[in-house]
Amino acid sequence: MTKKNILTAAVSLSLVACLSIGATLAYFTDKSDTMTNVFTTGKVDMTLIDETEDPKGQYTFDENGVQNGILYTGVVPGDDLDKRVSVLTRDGSSNAHVGIVVTVGNTTDPSEQEVYKLIDEAVARQEKVDGDKWLDVQDVNVYDGENIVPGKLYAYNPEYPGWEQGVPANTLMRLFSDIKIPTAWDNDEAEAVFDIKVQAYALQAENTAPSLLKSAIEGTLKDDNGDRVEFQQYGD
């Protein structure tokens, strides 16, 4: 082997030796502590209260024994009937836009307009007592998943002091406490039957405007997927 070949072989062996040593070295490393990010969703939770202590009123119940209304019998002109309708946002509920929809049915005499007038007057009396302010009545077409039912929406005022971000939990909001039967009713209203139905609705206040409550009730509010936002009962 010539000197030149010996020198080349020595260099090659040297390179292999260096590579072998380099392959056994670790990288400089470090890692942080693990941080677990937990996301807990809120809820909107409220209940409708419909009660009476009037001797002419009797609670009615569905086939499961759940109260579903009050039946008033023997009503005469001049009666001031005890009927307390309110909505309560429950403990732990997120702030919400809250409203009560009133629908009137099964009536000819008195007319629907006359019955709605009784309700408006009852709401005005309650506002005067509580100092609360319900928004102006809004005509609403309630979408129940199948049908459209006309009614009136009484939405709680988002401008009430401290409630700019919606109604907080543990808040009781009274709609009315009595229904006064006009003394002007006469034989035209004899043996009359009419229904006043009330249903409460709540929509999360965060990321929504108060006006969207009506849109959701009417079934025109859509989510990001283009699906209709429908009300579902939370809890019992």
Side-chain angles (χ1 to χ4, degrees):
M1 178 179 296
T2 65
K3 291 183 178 181
K4 181 177 180 181
N5 291 336
I6 294 174
L7 179 59
T8 302
V11 171
S12 298
L13 289 174
S14 177
L15 288 174
V16 171
C18 289
L19 287 173
S20 298
I21 294 173
T24 64
L25 294 178
Y27 293 102
F28 292 127
T29 62
D30 188 17
K31 70 175 181 179
S32 71
D33 293 333
T34 299
M35 300 296 179
T36 302
N37 298 285
V38 178
F39 296 83
T40 302
T41 60
K43 62 182 180 182
V44 172
D45 190 10
M46 58 82 192
T47 185
L48 176 69
I49 301 170
D50 186 8
E51 56 190 6
T52 186
E53 294 181 358
D54 199 290
K56 293 187 177 182
Q58 293 183 327
Y59 290 109
T60 59
F61 302 88
D62 63 18
E63 62 275 9
N64 297 316
V66 178
Q67 181 202 340
N68 61 3
I70 302 171
L71 173 65
Y72 293 87
T73 57
V75 176
V76 298
D79 274 350
D80 189 356
L81 302 171
D82 180 71
K83 181 174 177 61
R84 284 162 279 152
V85 175
S86 55
V87 59
L88 172 68
T89 52
R90 291 174 167 170
D91 184 46
S93 175
S94 300
N95 285 17
H97 304 306
V98 180
I100 297 178
V101 171
V102 179
T103 57
V104 172
N106 195 27
T107 180
T108 53
D109 265 322
S111 67
E112 287 188 7
Q113 290 74 16
E114 290 177 294
V115 177
Y116 278 124
K117 182 180 178 182
L118 301 185
I119 298 166
D120 286 337
E121 291 171 348
V123 172
R125 287 193 298 272
Q126 191 66 57
E127 286 181 341
K128 187 175 295 185
V129 171
D130 292 344
D132 290 345
K133 175 61 179 175
W134 290 81
L135 290 177
D136 293 337
V137 183
Q138 305 172 56
D139 291 328
V140 62
N141 293 311
V142 184
Y143 176 73
D144 64 3
E146 296 181 359
N147 303 308
I148 300 294
V149 181
K152 293 188 180 293
L153 168 64
Y154 296 82
Y156 215 81
N157 193 337
E159 297 179 359
Y160 192 78
W163 293 8
E164 294 81 1
Q165 303 304 317
V167 180
N170 298 313
T171 303
L172 178 67
M173 294 156 284
R174 300 176 180 87
L175 183 60
F176 55 78
S177 296
D178 67 333
I179 294 292
K180 289 186 177 181
I181 305 302
T183 57
W185 284 14
D186 54 23
N187 286 349
D188 290 338
E189 285 79 27
E191 298 185 306
V193 177
F194 59 90
D195 299 333
I196 297 176
K197 297 181 180 180
V198 292
Q199 187 167 18
Y201 293 85
L203 175 69
Q204 70 178 64
E206 191 169 358
N207 302 324
T208 66
S211 60
L212 293 182
L213 176 63
K214 179 180 178 181
S215 299
I217 292 171
E218 293 189 321
T220 59
L221 181 62
K222 304 293 182 65
D223 62 19
D224 289 341
N225 294 325
D227 297 324
R228 189 194 312 270
V229 175
E230 297 184 6
F231 285 92
Q232 296 179 337
Q233 188 170 358
Y234 176 85
D236 56 10

